[in-house]
Amino acid sequence: MISMKRTFILIFFCFGITTFAKPIEDKDIYSSVVNWTEQVIVSSVKETIPKIVFDEDDPEFFGKNTATSQGKSHSMARKKAKEKLKVRLSQRLESMLFNADYTIFEYTQVNQQARLRLNSYIGAEKEEYDFQFVKNVLEAKASLPIKGKDGILAHIPMEYGTERVPEFSEDMIPVEFSGLVVDARHLSVKRALFPKIQTDRGLDVYSPFYVKDAYAIETGYIVYREDQNGKTFENKVGKNPYFVLALSTAGKNQTDLVIPTDEAAKFLSHPESRKNITRCRVLILVSQ
């Protein structure tokens, strides 16, 4: 019989990995975060709650940063916090890397349609807010999703699915894989919305031009993780993904990854594996 102590250790080991696995995040100078694992942008601020002055004879009555009731005081704090959070989320969004060549801001400068769509998205107030009043301070947090119908990917124009996934003519027995996992934890990889994966001979294996827009928007074009544990990993790449070790990074922004040609040939030998590329069943392992 297994002892209670050993049982506890086994349970902790099995669930601890998933519980304590850290998401892959990029922070800016305001600590606004792009969570590439959960695919969301988050920003937070602290706002001092205006002083409540209800006595008309008080010299501060109707003064700057004062309110005549708690409800008005909280409302003023929420308004200021929302204004700051909208600016910070917008700044963080535009500073994200779009692909190997551009940040999102740079991309919108060369693509007028993208600029109009992004401005419309920012003005549509898709943010989700959380407000917590702690003594005389409002702790406020706002988030913007990357994927989903209200996410960034649904509102930035991109040419999806204009090309066919490449096929290799090498003589081998085709094996079906549920997805592709590229291990780049040994490399200094910059995270982007649309990284590409290519072979050491320069052939693209994964690109927006290969994928279906519905899958990219709903599941995210790419997910970055530090490990391969947990249900969310399986949800992205299935139960039998093909693992490959990246050789190097590529592109001006060092967001793209290079893998061996023979490894790409093994993965793409089966038509269902190629179909899973079009379904965005691709994940990149990186170090924080």
Side-chain angles (χ1 to χ4, degrees):
M1 179 180 288
I2 300 176
S3 68
M4 288 295 291
K5 182 177 180 181
R6 186 180 175 192
T7 301
F8 175 79
I9 292 173
L10 286 172
I11 292 174
F12 178 83
F13 179 75
C14 291
F15 290 97
I17 295 175
T18 303
T19 303
F20 296 108
K22 294 181 179 179
I24 297 300
E25 297 180 337
D26 289 332
K27 295 183 181 180
D28 65 9
I29 59 173
Y30 298 108
S31 294
S32 296
V33 174
V34 178
N35 184 326
W36 293 103
T37 303
E38 303 299 331
Q39 298 188 74
V40 64
I41 305 175
V42 180
S43 188
S44 57
V45 297
K46 290 184 179 181
E47 190 69 37
T48 301
I49 301 171
K51 182 180 178 181
I52 300 172
V53 181
F54 52 84
D55 185 352
E56 294 182 4
D57 295 327
D58 191 310
E60 291 187 272
F61 186 70
F62 271 123
K64 188 177 181 181
N65 296 322
T66 67
T68 55
S69 67
Q70 185 183 66
K72 181 66 174 177
S73 176
H74 285 188
S75 177
M76 291 170 64
R78 280 193 293 265
K79 182 180 179 181
K80 285 185 178 180
K82 285 182 70 172
E83 289 172 352
K84 290 179 181 179
L85 287 169
K86 284 182 70 70
V87 171
R88 291 188 182 183
L89 283 176
S90 177
Q91 290 173 334
R92 190 67 194 91
L93 169 59
E94 293 196 337
S95 67
M96 291 171 62
L97 288 177
F98 181 76
N99 59 17
D101 297 313
Y102 304 108
T103 63
I104 289 183
F105 175 76
E106 291 168 343
Y107 179 67
T108 62
Q109 298 306 294
V110 298
N111 186 318
Q112 183 63 25
Q113 184 186 8
R115 180 74 261 170
L116 295 173
R117 290 278 297 275
L118 188 63
N119 286 344
S120 176
Y121 177 69
I122 292 172
E125 297 189 351
K126 300 293 186 181
E127 306 91 352
E128 290 188 7
Y129 293 96
D130 177 66
F131 299 111
Q132 300 292 331
F133 291 94
V134 182
K135 294 183 179 180
N136 66 330
V137 173
L138 169 63
E139 296 179 356
K141 182 182 294 185
S143 61
L144 272 176
I146 293 176
K147 64 179 181 178
K149 63 182 179 62
D150 290 329
I152 298 162
L153 293 175
H155 294 83
I156 293 183
M158 167 58 71
E159 290 186 66
Y160 293 109
T162 58
E163 299 178 13
R164 292 175 60 88
V165 179
E167 299 181 31
F168 286 80
S169 59
E170 277 83 348
D171 185 20
M172 62 181 65
I173 300 174
V175 178
E176 179 182 345
F177 295 99
S178 60
L180 176 65
V181 179
V182 180
D183 191 341
R185 287 175 289 191
H186 57 297
L187 300 172
S188 180
V189 183
K190 300 270 186 75
R191 273 81 77 167
L193 282 180
F194 295 106
K196 291 195 300 183
I197 298 169
Q198 56 189 215
T199 70
D200 51 7
R201 296 178 187 173
L203 178 67
D204 287 345
V205 174
Y206 188 55
S207 156
F209 299 137
Y210 297 155
V211 307
K212 297 177 181 178
D213 57 351
Y215 284 97
I217 290 168
E218 184 60 30
T219 70
Y221 170 79
I222 199 70
V223 168
Y224 295 93
R225 285 181 61 111
E226 199 170 29
D227 57 57
Q228 59 263 38
N229 302 299
K231 190 67 177 176
T232 54
F233 178 86
E234 186 178 309
N235 288 343
K236 183 62 175 172
V237 293
K239 296 181 178 181
N240 181 41
Y242 188 81
F243 285 80
V244 59
L245 190 68
L247 296 174
S248 62
T249 58
K252 184 182 76 174
N253 290 328
Q254 299 299 297
T255 61
D256 299 345
L257 292 171
V258 178
I259 64 174
T261 298
D262 59 342
E263 298 279 8
K266 291 175 186 176
F267 172 72
L268 296 174
S269 64
H270 197 285
E272 285 301 313
S273 299
R274 295 193 295 274
K275 194 174 290 185
N276 284 329
I277 282 288
T278 71
R279 297 166 177 160
C280 299
R281 306 202 77 170
V282 179
L283 185 147
I284 299 174
L285 295 175
V286 295
S287 297
Q288 188 59 269

